[in-house]
Amino acid sequence: MTDFDVVGAYKRALEDEQVPHPIAAILALVELMEASTASTISGLTMELTAGRKALVESQHSLGVRAGCQLWERFISLSHSGEEFPAYKKSLIAQGRAFCSVTAPQCREKIATLAVDFLVDDCTASRPSSPRSTVLTHSYSRTVIQTILRAHKQHKRIKVYVTEARPHCLGLRTHAVLTAAGIPCVVVLDSAVAYIMERVDMVLVGSEAVVESGGLVSSAGTYQTALIAKHNQKPFYALAESYKFLRHYPLSQTDLPFPKVNGKAPPLPLSFPATITPFRPIHTPSQGGALTPTRESSPHAPATPLLSAEASTPGKRERAFEMTPEMEALNPLVDVTTPDLIDFIITDLGAPLSPTSVSQYLVAQFSA
């Protein structure tokens, strides 16, 4: 077994922000093959199996698992009786070509297909708003590329994007779209129901598409889909085929995340073992206002409760804010069930129904 840091290779690949998690995992496995000293197919297979296991068990990303599954399937189907050196060289060349050429083309194909759903002037029910209005959640390279393509085609588009706490990636989407001259407004995650009647469609990206035809994406996607369904707004998901994952979640918490210290990770929103109480105190210097603070406790987090904005006279007060410890108790992804998804637009051709995704996965990984 070669002493190769496959996790380090994966993290280096992610330094390029255009490289998604599945492709970064495949690139890491290709680098492992290049560094391998194995002289037989069975030896190389053992090293790749160990590399995949190291990635899957250390990374909290379902995209990593999807990329590893795809590469494993490719390896199992690729042997054609060649001599081992030629076989290994061919695998490495094909892996590099897939990551550098085929994968970027997937996003381009999706944008080409999805842009047709952004119909200019589709707001006939609201003549005062001559632009097609899209709601998107968090940050998705594929969604952004689709909207930018529509803008280049002179389609009149305006976008609402959720803030997407806790990392507020919706602000990143806002920055990209406004820099391109596209009208974009950031809305609170809690205001999705309020804004839904103003939009024509919902367009979201994905971290993985599972066997049920459901979507694993940034937390908040599921509630957005529920609200869209209630308001009879079309909900479209954009997903590269290398994000298809052989897993059938039975609940929101039934996702194959790696263990922590040999144990299954705690369920999202589980109660902490130590409670840090809060109490309001009287602060005369602020005009008699009650300002919340933490109890003095050896277990109290060191993060300050009040922002600089709250402590500045004349500024809006933000008395309570979530600490990193509070944020850590919340999930980063959720599962959008297939009944809420109108179409999944992929690089495979025509838009797929959630049922078609399930059939595709079964066909790809059977026998």
Side-chain angles (χ1 to χ4, degrees), residues 54-86:
L55 286 172
V56 167
E57 293 183 353
S58 65
Q59 303 304 310
H60 288 267
S61 169
L62 296 183
V64 169
R65 187 176 291 263
C68 288
Q69 284 185 359
L70 181 62
W71 188 245
E72 181 180 19
R73 183 60 177 166
F74 171 72
I75 293 293
S76 67
L77 297 175
S78 61
H79 186 53
S80 59
E82 297 176 287
E83 294 292 329
F84 177 74

Side-chain angles (χ1 to χ4, degrees), residues 24-321:
I26 293 174
L27 282 171
L29 294 174
V30 170
E31 285 192 31
L32 185 151
M33 293 177 62
E34 291 174 331
S36 172
T37 57
S39 58
T40 62
I41 293 177
S42 60
L44 181 63
T45 301
M46 289 175 60
E47 292 190 4
L48 287 172
T49 300
R52 288 195 300 270
K53 184 177 180 181
L55 286 172
V56 167
E57 293 183 353
S58 65
Q59 303 304 310
H60 288 267
S61 169
L62 296 183
V64 169
R65 187 176 291 263
C68 288
Q69 284 185 359
L70 181 62
W71 188 245
E72 181 180 19
R73 183 60 177 166
F74 171 72
I75 293 293
S76 67
L77 297 175
S78 61
H79 186 53
S80 59
E82 297 176 287
E83 294 292 329
F84 177 74
Y87 170 67
K88 177 182 173 181
K89 184 177 180 180
S90 174
L91 286 179
I92 293 171
Q94 290 181 70
R96 289 286 183 190
F98 176 79
C99 294
S100 63
V101 179
T102 306
Q105 288 176 350
C106 291
R107 198 178 298 159
E108 185 67 25
K109 289 178 181 178
I110 292 172
T112 301
L113 291 169
V115 75
D116 291 336
F117 286 80
L118 302 179
V119 180
D120 192 18
D121 245 351
C122 72
T123 53
S125 60
R126 289 177 281 115
S128 61
S129 178
R131 295 177 181 266
S132 178
T133 307
V134 176
L135 171 65
T136 187
H137 177 60
S138 190
Y139 179 85
S140 166
R141 303 177 189 90
T142 311
V143 169
I144 288 175
Q145 187 164 334
T146 298
I147 294 173
L148 291 176
R149 174 179 284 267
H151 181 64
K152 289 179 180 178
Q153 294 179 4
H154 305 291
K155 293 189 175 184
R156 292 178 289 180
I157 306 294
K158 62 181 180 181
V159 179
Y160 288 111
V161 58
T162 56
E163 183 186 21
R165 293 219 9 112
H167 299 305
C168 297
L169 291 178
L171 299 179
R172 187 177 179 185
T173 299
H174 176 268
V176 174
L177 296 182
T178 53
I182 300 172
C184 183
V185 174
V186 180
V187 299
L188 297 173
D189 296 331
S190 54
V192 170
Y194 176 85
I195 207 69
M196 189 61 74
E197 66 180 17
R198 305 186 187 187
V199 308
D200 297 301
M201 69 190 71
V202 180
L203 207 61
V204 300
S206 65
E207 179 171 335
V209 180
V210 291
E211 264 183 300
S212 62
L215 190 72
V216 180
S217 194
S218 300
T221 306
Y222 180 39
Q223 68 185 19
T224 302
L226 284 168
I227 296 167
K229 188 75 169 182
H230 178 77
N231 286 269
Q232 299 182 349
K233 304 291 184 178
F235 184 94
Y236 304 128
L238 310 184
E240 300 91 328
S241 57
Y242 53 73
K243 291 183 177 179
F244 288 6
L245 177 68
R246 288 210 69 187
H247 180 73
Y248 201 108
L250 300 177
S251 68
Q252 290 293 326
T253 56
D254 184 23
L255 294 174
F257 287 122
K259 296 182 178 180
V260 179
N261 298 324
K263 299 180 180 179
L267 296 179
L269 295 179
S270 59
F271 289 94
T274 303
I275 304 299
T276 303
F278 288 76
R279 65 179 177 84
I281 63 171
H282 188 70
T283 309
S285 62
Q286 295 186 357
L290 290 178
T291 303
T293 186
R294 290 189 183 83
E295 293 278 8
S296 177
S297 166
H299 303 290
T303 307
L305 175 65
L306 293 178
S307 65
E309 189 178 76
S311 61
T312 304
K315 294 282 187 178
R316 179 183 57 151
E317 286 196 8
R318 298 173 62 184
F320 286 105
E321 289 185 342

